[in-house]
Coordinates of all heavy atoms in Angstrom, one line a residue:
M1 N 120.2 93.3 80.2 CA 120.4 93.3 81.6 C 120.1 94.7 82.2 O 119.6 94.7 83.3 CB 121.8 92.8 81.9 CG 122.1 92.7 83.3 SD 121.2 91.3 84.0 CE 121.9 91.1 85.6
H2 N 120.5 95.7 81.5 CA 120.3 97.0 82.0 C 118.8 97.3 82.1 O 118.3 98.0 83.1 CB 120.9 98.1 81.0 CG 120.6 99.5 81.4 ND1 121.1 100.1 82.5 CD2 119.8 100.4 80.8 CE1 120.7 101.3 82.6 NE2 119.9 101.5 81.6
T3 N 118.0 96.8 81.2 CA 116.5 97.0 81.3 C 115.9 96.3 82.5 O 115.1 96.9 83.2 CB 115.8 96.5 80.0 OG1 116.4 97.1 78.9 CG2 114.4 96.8 80.0
L4 N 116.4 95.1 82.8 CA 115.9 94.4 84.0 C 116.3 95.1 85.2 O 115.4 95.3 86.1 CB 116.6 93.0 84.0 CG 116.2 92.1 85.2 CD1 114.7 91.8 85.2 CD2 117.1 90.9 85.3
L5 N 117.5 95.6 85.4 CA 117.8 96.4 86.5 C 117.0 97.7 86.7 O 116.7 98.1 87.8 CB 119.3 96.7 86.5 CG 120.2 95.4 86.7 CD1 121.7 95.9 86.6 CD2 120.0 94.7 88.0
H6 N 116.8 98.3 85.6 CA 116.0 99.5 85.6 C 114.6 99.2 86.0 O 114.0 100.0 86.8 CB 116.0 100.2 84.2 CG 115.2 101.5 84.1 ND1 115.5 102.5 84.9 CD2 114.2 101.8 83.4 CE1 114.7 103.5 84.7 NE2 113.8 103.1 83.7
N7 N 114.0 98.2 85.5 CA 112.6 97.8 85.9 C 112.6 97.4 87.4 O 111.6 97.7 88.0 CB 112.1 96.6 85.0 CG 111.8 97.1 83.6 OD1 111.6 98.3 83.4 ND2 111.8 96.1 82.7
L8 N 113.6 96.7 87.9 CA 113.6 96.3 89.3 C 113.7 97.5 90.2 O 113.2 97.6 91.3 CB 114.7 95.3 89.5 CG 114.5 93.9 89.0 CD1 115.7 93.0 89.3 CD2 113.2 93.3 89.6
S9 N 114.5 98.5 89.7 CA 114.6 99.7 90.5 C 113.3 100.5 90.6 O 113.0 101.2 91.6 CB 115.8 100.6 90.0 OG 115.4 101.2 88.8
D10 N 112.5 100.5 89.5 CA 111.2 101.1 89.6 C 110.2 100.3 90.3 O 109.2 100.9 90.8 CB 110.7 101.4 88.1 CG 111.5 102.4 87.4 OD1 112.2 103.3 88.1 OD2 111.5 102.5 86.2
L11 N 110.4 99.0 90.4 CA 109.4 98.1 91.1 C 109.3 98.5 92.5 O 108.2 98.4 93.1 CB 109.8 96.7 90.9 CG 108.9 95.6 91.5 CD1 107.5 95.7 90.8 CD2 109.5 94.3 91.3
W12 N 110.4 98.8 93.2 CA 110.3 99.1 94.6 C 109.4 100.3 94.9 O 108.8 100.4 95.9 CB 111.7 99.2 95.3 CG 112.4 100.5 95.0 CD1 113.3 100.7 94.0 CD2 112.3 101.7 95.7 NE1 113.7 102.0 94.0 CE2 113.2 102.6 95.1 CE3 111.6 102.1 96.8 CZ2 113.3 103.9 95.5 CZ3 111.8 103.4 97.3 CH2 112.6 104.3 96.7
R13 N 109.5 101.3 94.0 CA 108.6 102.5 94.2 C 107.1 102.1 94.0 O 106.3 102.6 94.8 CB 109.0 103.5 93.1 CG 110.4 104.1 93.3 CD 110.7 105.2 92.3 NE 112.0 105.6 92.5 CZ 112.8 105.9 91.5 NH1 112.4 105.8 90.2 NH2 114.1 106.3 91.7
V14 N 106.8 101.3 93.1 CA 105.5 100.8 92.9 C 105.0 100.0 94.1 O 103.9 100.2 94.6 CB 105.3 100.0 91.6 CG1 103.9 99.4 91.5 CG2 105.6 100.9 90.4
M15 N 105.9 99.2 94.6 CA 105.5 98.3 95.8 C 105.3 99.3 97.0 O 104.4 99.0 97.8 CB 106.6 97.3 96.1 CG 106.7 96.2 95.0 SD 105.3 95.2 95.0 CE 105.5 94.3 96.6
L16 N 106.1 100.3 97.2 CA 106.0 101.2 98.3 C 104.7 101.9 98.3 O 104.0 102.1 99.3 CB 107.2 102.2 98.4 CG 107.1 103.2 99.5 CD1 107.3 102.5 100.8 CD2 108.3 104.2 99.3
A17 N 104.3 102.4 97.1 CA 103.1 103.1 96.9 C 101.9 102.2 97.2 O 100.9 102.6 97.8 CB 103.0 103.7 95.5
A18 N 102.0 101.0 96.7 CA 100.9 100.0 96.9 C 100.7 99.7 98.4 O 99.6 99.6 98.9 CB 101.1 98.8 96.1
M19 N 101.8 99.6 99.1 CA 101.7 99.3 100.5 C 101.2 100.5 101.3 O 100.4 100.3 102.2 CB 103.1 98.9 101.1 CG 103.5 97.5 100.6 SD 102.4 96.2 101.0 CE 102.7 96.1 102.8
L20 N 101.6 101.7 100.9 CA 101.2 102.9 101.6 C 99.7 103.2 101.4 O 99.0 103.4 102.3 CB 102.1 104.1 101.1 CG 101.7 105.4 101.7 CD1 102.0 105.4 103.2 CD2 102.5 106.5 101.0
F21 N 99.3 103.2 100.1 CA 97.9 103.5 99.8 C 97.0 102.4 99.9 O 95.8 102.5 100.2 CB 97.9 104.3 98.5 CG 98.6 105.5 98.4 CD1 99.7 105.7 97.6 CD2 98.3 106.6 99.3 CE1 100.4 106.9 97.6 CE2 99.0 107.7 99.3 CZ 100.1 107.9 98.4
G22 N 97.5 101.2 99.6 CA 96.6 100.0 99.5 C 96.3 99.5 100.9 O 95.2 99.0 101.2
A23 N 97.3 99.5 101.8 CA 97.1 99.0 103.1 C 97.4 100.0 104.2 O 96.8 99.9 105.3 CB 98.1 97.8 103.3
G24 N 98.2 101.0 103.9 CA 98.6 102.0 104.9 C 97.5 102.9 105.4 O 97.2 103.1 106.5
L25 N 96.8 103.5 104.4 CA 95.7 104.4 104.7 C 94.6 103.7 105.4 O 94.0 104.3 106.4 CB 95.2 105.2 103.5 CG 96.2 106.3 103.0 CD1 95.7 106.9 101.8 CD2 96.4 107.3 104.1
P26 N 94.1 102.6 105.0 CA 93.0 101.9 105.8 C 93.5 101.5 107.2 O 92.7 101.6 108.1 CB 92.7 100.6 105.0 CG 93.1 101.0 103.6 CD 94.3 101.9 103.7
T27 N 94.8 101.2 107.4 CA 95.3 100.9 108.7 C 95.3 102.2 109.6 O 94.9 102.1 110.7 CB 96.7 100.3 108.6 OG1 96.7 99.2 107.8 CG2 97.2 100.0 109.9
V28 N 95.7 103.3 109.0 CA 95.7 104.6 109.8 C 94.2 104.9 110.1 O 94.0 105.4 111.3 CB 96.3 105.7 109.0 CG1 96.1 107.0 109.6 CG2 97.8 105.4 108.8
F29 N 93.3 104.7 109.2 CA 91.9 105.0 109.5 C 91.4 104.1 110.6 O 90.7 104.5 111.5 CB 91.1 104.8 108.2 CG 89.6 105.2 108.4 CD1 89.2 106.5 108.5 CD2 88.7 104.2 108.5 CE1 87.9 106.8 108.6 CE2 87.3 104.5 108.7 CZ 86.9 105.8 108.8
A30 N 91.7 102.8 110.6 CA 91.3 101.9 111.6 C 91.9 102.2 113.0 O 91.2 102.1 114.0 CB 91.7 100.4 111.2
V31 N 93.1 102.7 113.0 CA 93.7 103.1 114.3 C 93.0 104.4 114.8 O 92.7 104.5 116.0 CB 95.2 103.5 114.1 CG1 95.8 104.2 115.3 CG2 96.0 102.2 113.8
G32 N 92.6 105.3 113.9 CA 91.8 106.4 114.3 C 90.4 106.0 114.9 O 90.0 106.6 115.9
I33 N 89.8 105.0 114.3 CA 88.5 104.5 114.8 C 88.7 103.9 116.1 O 87.9 104.1 117.1 CB 87.9 103.5 113.8 CG1 87.5 104.2 112.5 CG2 86.7 102.8 114.4 CD1 86.3 105.1 112.6
R34 N 89.7 103.2 116.3 CA 90.0 102.5 117.6 C 90.3 103.5 118.7 O 89.8 103.4 119.8 CB 91.3 101.6 117.4 CG 91.7 100.9 118.6 CD 90.9 99.6 118.7 NE 91.5 98.8 119.8 CZ 91.2 97.6 120.0 NH1 90.3 97.0 119.3 NH2 91.7 97.0 121.0
C35 N 91.0 104.6 118.4 CA 91.3 105.6 119.4 C 90.0 106.4 119.7 O 89.8 106.8 120.8 CB 92.3 106.6 118.9 SG 94.0 105.9 118.8
R36 N 89.2 106.7 118.7 CA 87.9 107.4 118.9 C 87.0 106.5 119.8 O 86.2 107.1 120.6 CB 87.3 107.7 117.6 CG 86.1 108.5 117.7 CD 86.3 109.9 118.3 NE 85.1 110.5 118.7 CZ 85.0 111.7 119.1 NH1 86.1 112.4 119.4 NH2 83.8 112.2 119.4
A37 N 87.0 105.2 119.6 CA 86.2 104.3 120.4 C 86.6 104.4 121.9 O 85.7 104.3 122.8 CB 86.3 102.9 119.9
R38 N 87.9 104.6 122.1 CA 88.4 104.7 123.5 C 87.8 106.0 124.1 O 87.5 106.0 125.3 CB 89.9 104.7 123.5 CG 90.4 104.8 124.9 CD 91.9 104.6 124.9 NE 92.1 103.2 124.9 CZ 93.3 102.6 125.1 NH1 94.3 103.3 125.3 NH2 93.4 101.3 125.1
V39 N 87.8 107.0 123.3 CA 87.2 108.3 123.8 C 85.7 108.1 124.1 O 85.3 108.6 125.2 CB 87.4 109.4 122.8 CG1 86.7 110.7 123.2 CG2 88.9 109.7 122.6
D40 N 85.0 107.5 123.2 CA 83.6 107.3 123.4 C 83.2 106.3 124.5 O 82.1 106.3 125.0 CB 82.9 106.9 122.1 CG 83.0 108.0 121.0 OD1 83.2 109.1 121.4 OD2 82.9 107.7 119.8
D41 N 84.1 105.4 124.9 CA 83.9 104.5 125.9 C 84.0 105.0 127.3 O 83.8 104.3 128.3 CB 84.8 103.2 125.8 CG 84.4 102.3 124.7 OD1 83.2 102.4 124.2 OD2 85.2 101.5 124.3
G42 N 84.4 106.3 127.4 CA 84.5 106.9 128.7 C 85.9 107.0 129.3 O 85.9 107.1 130.6
A43 N 86.9 107.0 128.5 CA 88.2 107.2 129.1 C 88.3 108.6 129.7 O 87.6 109.6 129.3 CB 89.3 107.1 128.0
S44 N 89.1 108.8 130.7 CA 89.2 110.1 131.4 C 90.7 110.5 131.5 O 91.6 109.7 131.3 CB 88.6 110.0 132.7 OG 89.2 109.1 133.5
G45 N 90.9 111.8 131.7 CA 92.2 112.3 132.0 C 93.1 112.3 130.8 O 92.6 112.6 129.7
I46 N 94.3 112.0 131.0 CA 95.3 112.1 129.9 C 95.1 111.0 128.9 O 95.4 111.3 127.7 CB 96.8 112.0 130.5 CG1 97.8 112.4 129.5 CG2 97.0 110.6 131.1 CD1 97.9 113.8 129.2
T47 N 94.5 109.9 129.2 CA 94.2 108.9 128.3 C 93.2 109.3 127.2 O 93.3 109.1 126.0 CB 93.7 107.6 129.0 OG1 94.6 107.2 130.0 CG2 93.5 106.5 128.0
R48 N 92.2 110.0 127.7 CA 91.1 110.6 126.8 C 91.7 111.6 125.9 O 91.5 111.6 124.7 CB 90.0 111.2 127.6 CG 88.9 111.7 126.7 CD 87.7 112.3 127.6 NE 86.5 112.4 126.9 CZ 86.3 113.4 126.0 NH1 87.2 114.3 125.8 NH2 85.1 113.5 125.4
T49 N 92.5 112.5 126.4 CA 93.1 113.5 125.6 C 94.1 112.9 124.6 O 94.1 113.4 123.4 CB 93.9 114.5 126.5 OG1 93.0 115.0 127.5 CG2 94.5 115.7 125.7
A50 N 94.9 112.0 125.0 CA 95.8 111.4 124.0 C 95.1 110.6 122.9 O 95.5 110.7 121.7 CB 96.8 110.4 124.8
A51 N 94.0 109.9 123.3 CA 93.2 109.2 122.3 C 92.5 110.1 121.3 O 92.4 109.9 120.1 CB 92.2 108.3 123.0
L52 N 92.0 111.2 121.9 CA 91.4 112.2 121.0 C 92.4 112.9 120.0 O 92.0 113.0 118.8 CB 90.7 113.3 121.9 CG 89.8 114.3 121.1 CD1 88.7 113.6 120.4 CD2 89.3 115.3 122.1
V53 N 93.5 113.2 120.5 CA 94.6 113.8 119.6 C 95.0 112.8 118.6 O 95.2 113.1 117.4 CB 95.8 114.3 120.5 CG1 96.9 114.6 119.6 CG2 95.4 115.5 121.3
A54 N 95.2 111.5 119.0 CA 95.6 110.5 118.1 C 94.6 110.2 117.0 O 94.9 110.1 115.8 CB 96.0 109.2 118.8
S55 N 93.3 110.2 117.4 CA 92.3 109.9 116.4 C 92.1 111.1 115.4 O 92.0 110.9 114.2 CB 90.9 109.6 117.1 OG 90.4 110.8 117.7
T56 N 92.2 112.3 115.9 CA 92.1 113.5 115.1 C 93.3 113.5 114.1 O 93.1 113.8 112.9 CB 92.1 114.7 115.9 OG1 91.1 114.7 116.8 CG2 92.0 116.0 115.0
L57 N 94.5 113.2 114.6 CA 95.7 113.1 113.7 C 95.5 112.1 112.6 O 95.8 112.3 111.4 CB 96.9 112.9 114.5 CG 98.2 112.9 113.7 CD1 98.5 114.3 113.2 CD2 99.4 112.5 114.7
C58 N 95.0 110.9 113.0 CA 94.8 109.8 112.0 C 93.8 110.2 110.9 O 94.1 110.0 109.7 CB 94.3 108.5 112.7 SG 95.6 107.7 113.7
F59 N 92.7 110.8 111.3 CA 91.7 111.2 110.4 C 92.2 112.4 109.5 O 91.9 112.4 108.3 CB 90.4 111.6 111.1 CG 89.7 110.5 111.8 CD1 89.1 110.7 113.0 CD2 89.7 109.2 111.3 CE1 88.5 109.7 113.7 CE2 89.1 108.2 111.9 CZ 88.5 108.4 113.1
A60 N 93.0 113.2 110.0 CA 93.6 114.3 109.2 C 94.6 113.8 108.2 O 94.5 114.2 107.0 CB 94.3 115.3 110.1
V61 N 95.4 112.8 108.5 CA 96.3 112.2 107.6 C 95.5 111.6 106.4 O 95.8 111.7 105.3 CB 97.2 111.2 108.3 CG1 97.9 110.3 107.3 CG2 98.2 111.9 109.1
V62 N 94.4 110.8 106.8 CA 93.6 110.2 105.7 C 92.9 111.2 104.8 O 92.9 111.0 103.6 CB 92.6 109.2 106.4 CG1 91.6 108.7 105.3 CG2 93.3 108.0 107.0
M63 N 92.4 112.2 105.4 CA 91.7 113.3 104.6 C 92.7 114.0 103.7 O 92.4 114.3 102.5 CB 91.0 114.3 105.5 CG 89.7 113.8 106.1 SD 88.5 113.3 104.8 CE 88.2 114.9 104.0
I64 N 93.9 114.3 104.2 CA 94.9 115.0 103.4 C 95.3 114.1 102.2 O 95.4 114.5 101.0 CB 96.1 115.4 104.2 CG1 95.7 116.5 105.1 CG2 97.3 115.8 103.3 CD1 96.7 116.9 106.1
A65 N 95.5 112.8 102.4 CA 95.8 111.8 101.4 C 94.7 111.7 100.3 O 95.0 111.7 99.1 CB 96.1 110.5 102.0
V66 N 93.5 111.7 100.8 CA 92.4 111.7 99.8 C 92.3 112.9 99.0 O 92.1 112.8 97.7 CB 91.0 111.4 100.6 CG1 89.8 111.6 99.7 CG2 91.0 110.0 101.2
V67 N 92.4 114.1 99.6 CA 92.4 115.3 98.8 C 93.5 115.4 97.9 O 93.3 115.8 96.7 CB 92.3 116.5 99.8 CG1 92.5 117.8 99.1 CG2 91.0 116.6 100.5
V68 N 94.7 115.1 98.3 CA 95.9 115.1 97.4 C 95.7 114.1 96.2 O 96.0 114.4 95.1 CB 97.2 114.9 98.1 CG1 98.3 114.6 97.2 CG2 97.5 116.1 99.0
G69 N 95.1 112.9 96.5 CA 94.9 112.0 95.5 C 93.9 112.4 94.4 O 94.1 112.3 93.2
V70 N 92.8 113.0 94.9 CA 91.8 113.6 93.9 C 92.4 114.7 93.1 O 92.2 114.8 91.9 CB 90.6 114.0 94.7 CG1 89.6 114.8 93.8 CG2 89.8 112.8 95.3
L71 N 93.2 115.6 93.8 CA 93.8 116.7 93.0 C 94.9 116.2 92.0 O 95.0 116.7 90.9 CB 94.5 117.7 94.0 CG 93.5 118.6 94.8 CD1 94.3 119.4 95.8 CD2 92.7 119.4 93.9
F72 N 95.6 115.1 92.4 CA 96.5 114.5 91.5 C 95.8 113.9 90.3 O 96.3 114.1 89.1 CB 97.4 113.4 92.2 CG 98.4 112.8 91.3 CD1 99.6 113.5 91.1 CD2 98.3 111.6 90.7 CE1 100.6 113.0 90.3 CE2 99.3 111.1 89.9 CZ 100.4 111.8 89.7
I73 N 94.7 113.3 90.5 CA 94.0 112.7 89.3 C 93.4 113.8 88.5 O 93.4 113.7 87.2 CB 92.9 111.7 89.9 CG1 93.5 110.5 90.5 CG2 91.9 111.3 88.8 CD1 92.6 109.6 91.3
A74 N 92.9 114.8 89.1 CA 92.3 115.9 88.3 C 93.2 117.0 87.9 O 92.7 118.1 87.4 CB 91.1 116.5 89.2
K75 N 94.5 116.9 88.1 CA 95.4 118.0 87.8 C 95.4 118.4 86.3 O 95.4 119.6 86.0 CB 96.8 117.7 88.2 CG 97.5 116.6 87.4 CD 98.9 116.4 87.9 CE 99.6 115.3 87.1 NZ 100.9 115.1 87.5
G76 N 95.2 117.5 85.4 CA 95.1 117.9 84.0 C 93.9 118.7 83.7 O 93.9 119.7 83.0
F77 N 92.7 118.2 84.2 CA 91.5 119.0 84.0 C 91.6 120.4 84.7 O 91.1 121.3 84.0 CB 90.3 118.2 84.7 CG 89.0 118.9 84.7 CD1 88.3 119.0 83.5 CD2 88.6 119.6 85.8 CE1 87.1 119.7 83.5 CE2 87.4 120.3 85.8 CZ 86.6 120.3 84.7
L78 N 92.1 120.4 85.9 CA 92.2 121.7 86.5 C 93.1 122.7 85.8 O 92.8 123.9 85.7 CB 92.7 121.6 88.0 CG 91.7 120.9 88.9 CD1 92.4 120.6 90.2 CD2 90.5 121.7 89.1
A79 N 94.2 122.1 85.2 CA 95.1 123.0 84.4 C 94.5 123.5 83.1 O 94.6 124.7 82.8 CB 96.4 122.2 84.2
T80 N 93.9 122.6 82.4 CA 93.4 123.0 81.1 C 92.0 123.8 81.1 O 91.9 124.7 80.4 CB 93.1 121.8 80.2 OG1 92.2 120.9 80.8 CG2 94.4 121.1 79.9
R81 N 91.1 123.4 82.0 CA 89.8 124.0 82.0 C 89.8 125.3 82.9 O 89.1 126.2 82.6 CB 88.8 123.0 82.5 CG 88.6 121.8 81.7 CD 88.0 122.1 80.3 NE 88.0 120.9 79.6 CZ 87.0 120.6 78.7 NH1 86.0 121.4 78.5 NH2 87.0 119.5 78.1
L82 N 90.5 125.2 84.0 CA 90.3 126.3 85.0 C 91.6 127.1 85.2 O 91.6 128.1 85.9 CB 89.9 125.7 86.4 CG 88.6 124.9 86.4 CD1 88.4 124.3 87.8 CD2 87.4 125.8 86.0
G83 N 92.7 126.7 84.6 CA 93.9 127.4 84.7 C 94.6 127.3 86.1 O 95.4 128.1 86.5
I84 N 94.2 126.2 86.9 CA 94.8 126.0 88.2 C 95.9 125.0 88.0 O 95.6 123.8 87.7 CB 93.8 125.6 89.2 CG1 92.7 126.6 89.3 CG2 94.4 125.3 90.5 CD1 91.5 126.2 90.1
H85 N 97.2 125.3 88.2 CA 98.3 124.4 88.0 C 98.7 123.9 89.4 O 99.4 124.6 90.2 CB 99.4 125.1 87.3 CG 99.0 125.5 85.9 ND1 98.9 124.7 84.9 CD2 98.6 126.8 85.5 CE1 98.5 125.4 83.8 NE2 98.3 126.6 84.2
L86 N 98.4 122.6 89.7 CA 98.8 122.0 90.9 C 99.6 120.7 90.7 O 99.4 120.0 89.7 CB 97.5 121.6 91.7 CG 96.6 122.7 92.2 CD1 95.3 122.2 92.8 CD2 97.3 123.6 93.2
L87 N 100.4 120.4 91.6 CA 101.1 119.1 91.6 C 101.9 118.8 90.2 O 101.8 117.7 89.7 CB 100.2 117.9 91.9 CG 99.4 118.0 93.2 CD1 98.4 117.0 93.3 CD2 100.4 117.9 94.4
G88 N 102.5 119.8 89.7 CA 103.3 119.7 88.5 C 102.5 119.6 87.2 O 103.0 119.1 86.2
A89 N 101.3 120.1 87.2 CA 100.5 120.1 85.9 C 101.0 121.2 85.0 O 101.3 122.3 85.4 CB 99.0 120.2 86.2

């Protein structure tokens, strides 16, 4: 019974990561595209500025997630070959 409870407690972490990276990042990217389209369609004033800031923020979040993901995957290589210790390597 203890093993089952332990596995179920770990399952929510896996589900959260899957929802965040599996559906969350593409959704954030799509929102960024949608905001950028509003800027390109000729919005003016505060609407244009807000859409531009929102799209830039969305794209920045996606880029940071991609870079951190690549560094996480390559952390062993970076630590052994180059001596760069990142993300707990």
Side-chain angles (χ1 to χ4, degrees):
M1 185 67 173
H2 176 69
T3 305
L4 176 66
L5 293 176
H6 181 59
N7 288 341
L8 288 177
S9 70
D10 290 338
L11 181 62
W12 75 268
R13 292 182 185 138
V14 173
M15 292 292 291
L16 180 67
M19 291 299 291
L20 178 67
F21 298 118
L25 286 178
T27 302
V28 171
F29 184 77
V31 168
I33 292 291
R34 181 82 170 192
C35 291
R36 185 62 191 184
R38 179 171 281 190
V39 170
D40 292 340
D41 283 344
S44 62
I46 192 75
T47 305
R48 183 181 195 282
T49 304
L52 188 61
V53 168
S55 68
T56 303
L57 183 65
C58 288
F59 295 142
V61 166
V62 171
M63 282 301 295
I64 289 169
V66 168
V67 168
V68 168
V70 169
L71 288 175
F72 183 76
I73 291 170
K75 70 181 179 179
F77 173 79
L78 292 172
T80 58
R81 302 288 177 145
L82 302 175
I84 301 171
H85 298 281
L86 297 172
L87 303 171

